[in-house]
Amino acid sequence: MSRKRFDEMNCSIARSLEQVGDWWTLLIVREAFFGTTAFSEFQEALGIAKNILTQRLDHLVANGIFERRQVRPGVERHEYFLTDKGRDLMPVLVALVQWGDRWLFGEGNEPLRVIDAEQRVQIAPLKVCDAAGREVAPSQLRFRPGPGATERTLRVFEERRSKRRAASIQ
Amino acid sequence: MSRKRFDEMNCSIARSLEQVGDWWTLLIVREAFFGTTAFSEFQEALGIAKNILTQRLDHLVANGIFERRQVRPGVERHEYFLTDKGRDLMPVLVALVQWGDRWLFGEGNEPLRVIDAEQRVQIAPLKVCDAAGREVAPSQLRFRPGPGATERTLRVFEERRSKRRAASIQ
DNA sequence: GAATCTGGTTGCGTCATGCAACCGTATGAT
DNA sequence: ATCATACGGTTGCATGACGCAACCAGATTC
C-alpha cells in the first residue's frame, strides 16, 4: 500500500506537506538557499542517495519549487534553482530553525544563523501580527475554518467546540 | 535499511525534522491545536491507521512535544496535550498554512484561517524582523554558520562562497 | 449481560528508502 | 589519440516503514 496521500485533505498544512513534507525535501531547499545548484553538490552536502535525490528534484521541479536549467545547450548538464514559490518557503525554514535552536540546541549553540543580507545583522524570532500590525502571542492564536472549508472540517470544528463547552461546564 | 537519521546533522532544520518531519506528525500537532485530545478523535479526524498513530504519539511524547495524562487514576485511558515545546510549533504551522494558502489554494479559498483568540481578527503574513524590529524582506535573508557550526558546515559554506565569487567574475 | 466504546496490538502485504554497482557523455591530463 | 575522471543519473536488491484489517481486554452503556 502506498503512503497515504494528503492531496484531497482540505487543509493548507496537509497540502503543503504533500509537496514539501517528506524527509529530504526541506533539507534540499535549505541547501539551495546556501547557493547549491548542482546535483553532485546536493548529493555530497546532504549525504543523500542519488536515486532518492533524483526523485526529489524531479518532484520539486514538477511542483514548481525548483527550476531546472541546462548549463549549456546541447550538453546534458543541469542546474537547479529555486523559483519564487520555492524561495517563499523561507519563513517555513526560519520557523523550523528557530524552533530547533530553542528546543534542541539552546542559546549559544545555534549551528545556523539567519541574517539580513544588507545590514548583516541577525534576525529576531518570527512575529505573528494581526492585520493592524499588532503582535499576537502564539498562545493567543487559534485555527478556524476559512472560506474554503469543507462540510467535514466544519463538522469536526463544531464537535470539538461543543466538547470543550461541555468540559468547561462540568 | 532504515530511514536515514538526521540526528547527527549539525543543523537546526535537520534536527527539527527528525522530531516533527514525518508525514503525520505536524498534522497530529495541528489537530491538537484544534482541541483534540483523545486517541480516537485523532484517528477519526485524520484517517490515520491506529498502529501508526500509536507510534507517532509515543514518539511525540518521548520527545516532549505531547504530554500523556491518564483521564482518571486506575483507568487505562489517556489524553494527549501539547507541551510548551509543542505549542511553540505554532509559527511553523502558520508558515506552512500561509505558504499553502498562497501557492496551492489561492486567495479566497483558504480552508483554514488563523485568528487572534482575543480580538477575533485574522492574522497577517508572518514577518521576519531584525533585532531592531525593522522588517526584512524574505529575499534579503541569508543563512550563515552560527556559533555551534561544525568544521564541515564552515567548509561547505566557504566552497559555495568561492564558487559564487568565481561565477560573478566571469 | 450484551453491545459498544476506547485504546490499543498483531499479522500481513506493499511501497519507499538506502546502498552499491553500472553507464553514457563530456572534460581534462599525458 | 588515449586514458582517467567527473557528472548526472539508472538499475537491482535488501530492508524497514506504512496502510489495512482483524483481534482483544477493560470500561461503559443499554
Side-chain angles (χ1 to χ4, degrees):
Chain A
M1 213 73 2
S2 101
R3 216 207 68 228
K4 185 133 180 179
R5 319 244 72 204
F6 297 151
D7 287 331
E8 358 56 56
M9 283 196 196
N10 190 248
C11 167
S12 289
I13 299 174
R15 294 278 273 275
S16 300
L17 290 175
E18 188 63 40
Q19 298 209 347
V20 299
D22 58 30
W23 283 108
W24 288 107
T25 297
L26 284 178
L27 289 179
I28 294 172
V29 173
R30 177 205 71 180
E31 201 58 33
F33 275 113
F34 290 174
T36 298
T37 58
F39 185 92
S40 57
E41 285 175 337
F42 284 107
Q43 208 244 313
E44 193 200 6
L46 295 174
I48 181 176
K50 290 166 151 208
N51 50 352
I52 306 295
L53 180 56
T54 302
Q55 285 176 32
R56 290 295 166 273
L57 285 172
D58 287 351
H59 187 241
L60 285 164
V61 169
N63 285 331
I65 292 168
F66 274 88
E67 188 193 347
R68 175 186 177 140
R69 293 190 208 142
Q70 274 189 313
V71 171
R72 269 203 316 284
V75 177
E76 276 307 308
R77 211 170 133 195
H78 309 106
E79 289 181 316
Y80 296 88
F81 292 95
L82 286 169
T83 61
D84 286 344
K85 181 176 172 183
R87 275 189 293 273
D88 207 33
L89 283 168
M90 182 55 109
V92 177
L93 291 183
V94 171
L96 274 172
V97 167
Q98 293 184 346
W99 187 81
D101 283 348
R102 181 164 181 189
W103 294 100
L104 307 177
F105 285 94
E107 220 167 317
N109 302 313
E110 303 90 346
L112 221 55
R113 199 171 252 173
V114 188
I115 65 159
D116 175 349
E118 300 251 305
Q119 309 294 330
R120 315 227 152 244
V121 293
Q122 204 166 341
I123 63 150
L126 280 177
K127 272 188 207 163
V128 185
C129 298
D130 64 22
R134 281 183 304 259
E135 194 173 344
V136 181
S139 60
Q140 285 301 310
L141 295 173
R142 298 287 183 277
F143 290 115
R144 289 284 178 274
T150 57
E151 276 304 312
R152 181 187 161 82
T153 307
L154 291 169
R155 202 174 59 242
V156 168
F157 264 90
E158 198 40 58
E159 279 172 22
R160 299 289 179 275
R161 180 180 306 218
S162 57
K163 202 194 69 172
R164 270 198 300 277
R165 202 157 38 215
S168 69
I169 288 171
Q170 280 184 349
Chain B
M1 212 75 4
S2 99
R3 217 206 66 229
K4 185 132 178 179
R5 319 245 72 206
F6 297 152
D7 286 332
E8 0 56 54
M9 283 196 196
N10 190 247
C11 166
S12 289
I13 298 174
R15 295 276 274 274
S16 299
L17 290 174
E18 188 62 40
Q19 297 209 347
V20 300
D22 58 30
W23 284 107
W24 287 108
T25 297
L26 283 178
L27 289 179
I28 295 172
V29 172
R30 176 205 72 179
E31 200 58 33
F33 275 114
F34 290 173
T36 299
T37 58
F39 185 93
S40 56
E41 285 176 336
F42 284 107
Q43 208 246 312
E44 193 201 6
L46 295 174
I48 183 177
K50 290 166 151 208
N51 48 353
I52 306 296
L53 180 57
T54 303
Q55 285 176 31
R56 290 293 165 275
L57 286 172
D58 287 352
H59 187 240
L60 286 163
V61 169
N63 286 331
I65 293 168
F66 275 88
E67 188 191 349
R68 176 187 177 139
R69 294 189 207 144
Q70 273 190 312
V71 171
R72 269 202 317 282
V75 177
E76 276 306 308
R77 213 173 132 194
H78 308 106
E79 287 180 319
Y80 296 89
F81 293 95
L82 286 168
T83 60
D84 286 344
K85 179 177 173 184
R87 274 188 294 273
D88 206 35
L89 283 168
M90 182 55 110
V92 177
L93 291 182
V94 171
L96 274 172
V97 167
Q98 293 183 346
W99 187 81
D101 284 349
R102 181 162 181 191
W103 294 99
L104 308 177
F105 285 93
E107 220 166 317
N109 303 313
E110 304 90 344
L112 221 55
R113 197 172 253 174
V114 188
I115 65 159
D116 174 350
E118 300 250 304
Q119 309 293 330
R120 313 227 154 248
V121 293
Q122 204 167 341
I123 63 149
L126 280 177
K127 270 188 209 164
V128 185
C129 298
D130 64 21
R134 282 184 303 260
E135 194 173 345
V136 181
S139 61
Q140 286 301 309
L141 294 174
R142 298 288 183 278
F143 289 116
R144 289 285 178 275
T150 56
E151 275 304 311
R152 182 188 161 80
T153 306
L154 291 170
R155 203 175 57 243
V156 168
F157 264 89
E158 197 39 57
E159 278 172 24
R160 300 288 179 277
R161 179 179 307 214
S162 56
K163 201 193 69 172
R164 270 197 303 276
R165 201 156 39 212
S168 69
I169 287 171
Q170 280 185 344

